[in-house]
Amino acid sequence: MRISQLAERTGVPVHTLKYYLREGVLPAGRATSRTSAEYGEEHVDRVRLVRALVEHGGVPVAAVRRIVGALDAPPPSRHELLGTAHSTLAGEDPGAAAPAEVVELLRGLGWCTWEQGPFVAELGRAVEAARAAGAPLTPEALRRYAEAMFAVAEVDVELALGAPSPEEAMRAVVVGTVMVDPVLLALRRVAQEAASTARA
Amino acid sequence: MRISQLAERTGVPVHTLKYYLREGVLPAGRATSRTSAEYGEEHVDRVRLVRALVEHGGVPVAAVRRIVGALDAPPPSRHELLGTAHSTLAGEDPGAAAPAEVVELLRGLGWCTWEQGPFVAELGRAVEAARAAGAPLTPEALRRYAEAMFAVAEVDVELALGAPSPEEAMRAVVVGTVMVDPVLLALRRVAQEAASTARA
DNA sequence: CCATGATGGACAGTGGCACTATCCACTGTC
DNA sequence: GACAGTGGATAGTGCCACTGTCCATCATGG
């Protein structure tokens, strides 16, 4: 199919598709001449993925480029799959070391995590910011939040392990992580109403 | 204290403080003359809150105005507190009705929720977007995510109920909801590593 | 065979947003 | 009484995701 048909199929304007091609988040079609190229179903999927990440996931286009790059690269073994996915999603440097409270929390929970990794540092920043804003985030509350999110992560891991191929697993981790975040936050709000009602 | 001292205390440039005054997210100081005003500790707290919401919470300044407006308004009874906080945080219209799957899920969980509310609709959109992006979000996985987030919400509600005053409770709900979101997402990533390691 | 319109490519422009800079009249302070 | 600080207004900056314009080239219907 030609670019105008790809635009029609996906509902994305031709101009935006050209922009995606320029930015490297959409692979070029198979050139049939110097002024035309052929696009396939994989391009439709890719466009849908990019739109979802940018629009609903709030991911910057530069990060989308890294993500789709990771999806296109030959996926490593399942062991390093999560590491590859995470380093793709983190992108930034850790910046500061994790505060003692966070490290202690993780150790107390018995989690085997990479304490120098970007997400532990990110967690430290987030906790600090919440406290600075005046949120009543006690260590006990944090521990219970962590246990709940461990249950979430177990589902994540099972979904990834259930994927038929390494490619699918990679997609499950990366897309699942980014796109399920808003689902979890919406569930949290709805659950707050339910929990509040249950208390009354 | 004067605006320059407020800037020094908070680390926010005077120009930005003037911008916050213009945008109505920072109340004016007590005018001591036509060219000077006196700011107090409550202004320091407010600036820290605004910075935290904008910088770490990614909240647009227009939404911050609504949030601080809700914090300043005399808080209603504890029963309607969550509703007030949520309508402040939602802002937007529900848009579309929630899909059948989501409504069914909530009923199956026995949650007493307002099915026409903005967050149920938001949840529907998020689920749809995740599926469109190719995330393997099975109904069973969604159910387990929901249960985990219910545990999160229980902590939220307890923190709010534990607040000494309605003002504090309002702050706990609004700030806690917005600023703890990044904490939860960071915990999810860290927990993924831990859960993945535990499986190996 | 040729007019017409689609295509790929380059590059500048748009709109939203969170600031940030400039300017001005005025005033508290040294 | 100089002078930096203040409030107020207006305009500009940088980032980012597009979006509009222009052009040479090419596919295709009449």
Side-chain angles (χ1 to χ4, degrees), chain A residues 75-189:
Chain A
S77 79
R78 297 225 171 184
H79 273 107
E80 12 179 354
L81 191 142
L82 190 74
T84 304
H86 272 185
S87 61
T88 302
L89 293 175
E92 298 304 304
D93 56 333
E101 181 197 346
V102 168
V103 173
E104 200 175 327
L105 167 77
L106 300 178
R107 287 194 182 143
L109 289 165
W111 291 9
C112 305
T113 56
W114 177 35
E115 286 168 11
Q116 310 304 318
F119 294 125
V120 176
E122 172 62 29
L123 174 59
R125 273 195 297 273
V127 169
E128 208 168 322
R131 296 251 172 80
L137 193 56
T138 63
E140 170 65 12
L142 197 54
R143 195 187 56 76
R144 291 176 63 189
Y145 283 142
E147 282 174 352
M149 296 321 284
F150 190 84
V152 168
E154 281 188 312
V155 180
D156 293 336
V157 170
E158 281 178 31
L159 286 179
L161 289 179
S165 68
E167 284 85 0
E168 289 290 326
M170 191 74 185
R171 188 184 182 91
V173 172
V174 174
V175 180
T177 298
V178 175
M179 297 302 296
V180 169
D181 278 351
V183 173
L184 295 175
L185 298 185
L187 277 173
R188 182 185 177 205
R189 270 102 176 130

Side-chain angles (χ1 to χ4, degrees), chain A residues 11-126:
Chain A
V12 177
V14 173
H15 262 123
T16 306
L17 294 180
K18 287 182 171 186
Y19 167 68
Y20 288 162
L21 288 167
R22 273 202 308 281
E23 295 299 315
V25 297
L26 180 65
R30 190 175 48 84
T32 58
S33 83
R34 206 187 307 174
T35 66
S36 79
E38 181 73 10
Y39 299 91
E41 286 306 311
E42 72 274 19
H43 291 91
V44 176
D45 288 347
R46 172 60 56 87
V47 171
R48 284 205 238 273
L49 172 62
V50 171
R51 295 297 301 188
L53 291 175
V54 169
E55 202 167 324
H56 294 271
V59 182
V61 170
V64 173
R65 183 167 41 225
R66 281 208 318 275
I67 291 176
V68 299
L71 293 181
D72 287 340
S77 79
R78 297 225 171 184
H79 273 107
E80 12 179 354
L81 191 142
L82 190 74
T84 304
H86 272 185
S87 61
T88 302
L89 293 175
E92 298 304 304
D93 56 333
E101 181 197 346
V102 168
V103 173
E104 200 175 327
L105 167 77
L106 300 178
R107 287 194 182 143
L109 289 165
W111 291 9
C112 305
T113 56
W114 177 35
E115 286 168 11
Q116 310 304 318
F119 294 125
V120 176
E122 172 62 29
L123 174 59
R125 273 195 297 273

Side-chain angles (χ1 to χ4, degrees), chain A residues 145 156 181 188-189 192, chain B residues 86 145 156 181 188-189:
Chain A
Y145 283 142
D156 293 336
D181 278 351
R188 182 185 177 205
R189 270 102 176 130
Q192 281 179 353
Chain B
H86 272 185
Y145 283 142
D156 294 336
D181 278 351
R188 183 184 177 207
R189 271 109 177 118

Side-chain angles (χ1 to χ4, degrees), chain B residues 3 15 17 25 40 47 55 63 66 86-87 89-90 96 117 139 170 191 196 198:
Chain B
I3 198 172
H15 267 124
L17 294 179
V25 297
V47 171
E55 201 167 324
R66 281 206 321 276
H86 272 185
S87 61
L89 292 175
M170 191 73 184
S196 173

Side-chain angles (χ1 to χ4, degrees), chain B residues 53-127:
Chain B
L53 290 174
V54 168
E55 201 167 324
H56 293 271
V59 181
V61 170
V64 173
R65 183 164 43 226
R66 281 206 321 276
I67 291 176
V68 300
L71 292 182
D72 287 340
S77 78
R78 298 223 171 186
H79 272 107
E80 8 179 0
L81 191 142
L82 190 73
T84 305
H86 272 185
S87 61
T88 301
L89 292 175
E92 296 304 304
D93 56 335
E101 182 198 345
V102 168
V103 173
E104 199 175 326
L105 167 76
L106 300 179
R107 287 195 182 142
L109 290 166
W111 292 8
C112 304
T113 57
W114 177 34
E115 287 169 9
Q116 310 304 317
F119 294 125
V120 177
E122 172 61 29
L123 174 59
R125 273 196 297 274
V127 169

